[in-house]
Amino acid sequence: MLFAHPKYLWFLLILVPYIAWYVYHHRADFAAMSVSTTRPYDRLPRTYKEYLLHGMFLLRLVAVAMLIIILARPQTHDKWSSSRTEGTDIVIALDISTSMLARDFKPDRFEAAKNVAAKFVAGRESDNIGLVIFAGESFTAVPMTTDRSMLANYIHDVRMGMLQDNTAIGDGLATSINRIKEGNAKSKSIILLTDGSNNTGNVAPITAAEIAKKLGIKVYTIGVGRNGMAPYPAENEFGRITYVNMPVVIDEATLKTIATTTGGKYFRATDNNVLAQIFEEIDRLEKTEIDVRNFTHTEDNYLPWALFALALLALELILRNTLLRNIP
């Protein structure tokens, strides 16, 4: 058994002076009569009520101890268990460059991609899924985990401007590979969403794709953006953000090469519905058996202690008003 506040157990030391006080003041609590000798009373038997009087103090003492234990919040032990289930390892690599704010999606590419990705994660039971975000640099936002609710919530909390701007597709892919390569599942996949072309970074996208191929990692690439023109965010002469129609430029050739090299598939998402359909298709990825460690959360376990304390106090109250009732 664990305690949320084990330091509170030090209050149990209060019982020591309480016991001393009881022993010292015990005789003063009862009426006394001066006599020359007590020899005539030495052979008189002691009644059970005399022992019950001390038992009353013991009941209160234990009840106080129970209350102190309740304050320390007794809890059940955390528990890990292992099981085997069907699943795969997946990393979602999400482009968070400024161009993802283009409004050819509703409300924009960035929010549409996050919503669909979060919904995808919520439906993948037992899969190990991680999240990598990239712009001018890349960053592992969430390591591989089976906690779908935590990951979905984090995806919703991703904000524009968390990384330096530009588009480093190669770095985003390389970071994703480093995160997924140690996974236990035989099937490993990366879902890479971007709306542009590689214009910065330390790793070339094709080089990263070759590494993924050697490690047996499939890469599903998604080009986000409709054909033709789209309203992109731009700063005017007054420093305010306005939206200007500009041609949609996606390096489809590179994205197709990445997918083909790794045995994945390239998709073009031109609106919210198509993006959702793409994730539905990816949702049918092959699954393999993986080992999953399940964690049992800690729960407060103060109720038995509270019931015991109440029972002791109730018993003391009943005895004081029945068998051990004092006559004024």
Side-chain angles (χ1 to χ4, degrees), residues 13-302:
L13 294 177
I14 296 174
L15 300 180
V16 176
Y18 183 41
I19 295 172
W21 174 87
Y22 175 79
V23 173
Y24 182 78
H25 288 277
H26 175 64
R27 292 185 179 182
D29 290 339
F30 300 95
M33 180 177 65
S34 298
V35 294
S36 59
T37 179
T38 59
R39 288 181 181 177
Y41 305 100
D42 288 344
R43 296 183 179 180
L44 290 177
R46 292 176 178 268
T47 67
Y48 71 94
K49 289 186 178 182
E50 184 177 353
Y51 295 102
L52 276 181
L53 287 174
H54 297 293
M56 299 288 288
F57 170 73
L58 182 61
L59 290 177
R60 186 179 303 176
L61 194 70
V62 176
V64 172
M66 295 299 101
L67 292 176
I68 293 173
I69 291 175
I70 292 170
L71 285 176
R73 286 183 61 190
Q75 299 176 327
T76 56
H77 285 285
D78 296 340
K79 186 178 180 181
W80 286 96
S81 61
S82 298
S83 62
R84 291 188 65 81
T85 186
E86 294 289 324
T88 184
D89 290 343
I90 301 173
V91 168
I92 297 175
L94 178 62
D95 185 348
I96 65 167
S97 58
T98 305
S99 60
M100 286 288 286
L101 293 175
R103 293 185 174 178
D104 48 351
F105 283 65
K106 294 180 180 180
D108 54 45
R109 296 173 182 174
F110 185 55
E111 291 300 325
K114 291 200 303 178
N115 290 336
V116 175
K119 184 178 179 180
F120 171 81
V121 166
R124 299 289 298 189
E125 295 184 6
S126 302
D127 288 341
N128 277 315
I129 305 179
L131 176 67
V132 169
I133 55 176
F134 68 94
E137 52 190 341
S138 62
F139 172 71
T140 300
V142 180
M144 305 297 291
T145 180
T146 56
D147 191 337
R148 294 173 295 156
S149 59
M150 181 275 291
L151 181 56
N153 289 334
Y154 190 94
I155 290 174
H156 283 301
D157 290 338
V158 173
R159 294 289 177 265
M160 192 65 63
M162 293 176 70
L163 299 175
Q164 182 181 347
D165 204 17
N166 275 321
T167 306
I169 296 175
D171 285 8
L173 184 53
T175 301
S176 301
I177 293 170
N178 285 332
R179 183 52 59 188
I180 199 175
K181 65 181 181 180
E182 301 299 334
N184 295 323
K186 294 180 181 179
S187 175
K188 298 181 177 66
S189 306
I190 296 172
I191 303 173
L192 188 147
L193 296 94
T194 183
D195 68 341
S197 57
N198 192 79
N199 55 23
T200 188
N202 300 315
V203 182
I206 304 304
T207 302
E210 292 292 343
I211 296 172
K213 178 183 178 181
K214 291 180 181 179
L215 296 173
I217 301 169
K218 293 181 181 178
V219 182
Y220 294 84
T221 56
I222 303 175
V224 183
R226 71 185 182 191
N227 296 309
M229 307 288 285
Y232 282 84
E235 189 175 302
N236 62 19
E237 62 272 18
F238 302 105
R240 296 178 181 176
I241 298 296
T242 59
Y243 286 83
V244 180
N245 279 328
M246 297 178 62
V248 176
V249 180
I250 299 175
D251 189 355
E252 290 190 287
T254 298
L255 296 180
K256 288 179 180 178
T257 301
I258 292 172
T260 303
T261 300
T262 60
K265 190 175 181 180
Y266 169 71
F267 302 91
R268 178 66 181 269
T270 54
D271 58 38
N272 296 62
N273 291 332
V274 174
L275 183 60
Q277 291 170 9
I278 290 170
F279 269 91
E280 288 176 5
E281 182 172 344
I282 296 175
D283 192 41
R284 295 189 286 270
L285 288 167
E286 59 182 298
K287 293 177 180 286
T288 57
E289 278 198 342
I290 58 173
D291 291 318
V292 177
R293 296 191 72 201
N294 301 307
F295 180 69
T296 302
H297 294 289
T298 301
E299 293 184 359
D300 288 337
N301 192 32
Y302 62 86

